Amino acid sequence: MKTNADLISDWITEQQNLGKTDEQLDNKAFYDGSDIYTIKKSRKKGVFDLRCTIGGAVSLETLRSL
């Protein structure tokens, strides 16, 4: 089974193959449950840092029901 980092890496590669620039991919966010993963472009072209906030997400559905 692929890790979340592997899935995100595959997605980045796919987007780059489709012609997306680093700037277009910068700050994209992904979530798995309440964990948030954000990719940040680095100084090197085509290289991204992956940041994870564990348990940091709040469901918008929960907020809507308040």
Side-chain angles (χ1 to χ4, degrees), residues 33-46:
S34 63
D35 301 338
I36 302 170
Y37 299 84
T38 307
I39 57 173
K40 302 283 290 171
K41 71 178 186 157
S42 68
R43 293 181 183 188
K44 266 180 106 170
K45 183 175 171 43

Side-chain angles (χ1 to χ4, degrees), residues 1-62:
M1 186 163 119
K2 287 188 172 188
T3 65
N4 289 341
D6 291 334
L7 291 170
I8 293 169
S9 178
D10 290 348
W11 181 86
I12 291 169
T13 301
E14 181 181 318
Q15 296 304 305
Q16 289 172 328
N17 290 339
L18 292 171
K20 298 280 181 152
T21 65
D22 288 359
E23 288 74 21
Q24 290 173 309
L25 300 176
D26 189 32
N27 287 319
K28 291 293 183 206
F30 306 84
Y31 68 92
D32 179 27
S34 63
D35 301 338
I36 302 170
Y37 299 84
T38 307
I39 57 173
K40 302 283 290 171
K41 71 178 186 157
S42 68
R43 293 181 183 188
K44 266 180 106 170
K45 183 175 171 43
V47 177
F48 292 85
D49 295 321
L50 179 62
R51 298 182 181 166
C52 179
T53 303
I54 299 188
V58 175
S59 168
L60 292 176
E61 282 302 315
T62 301

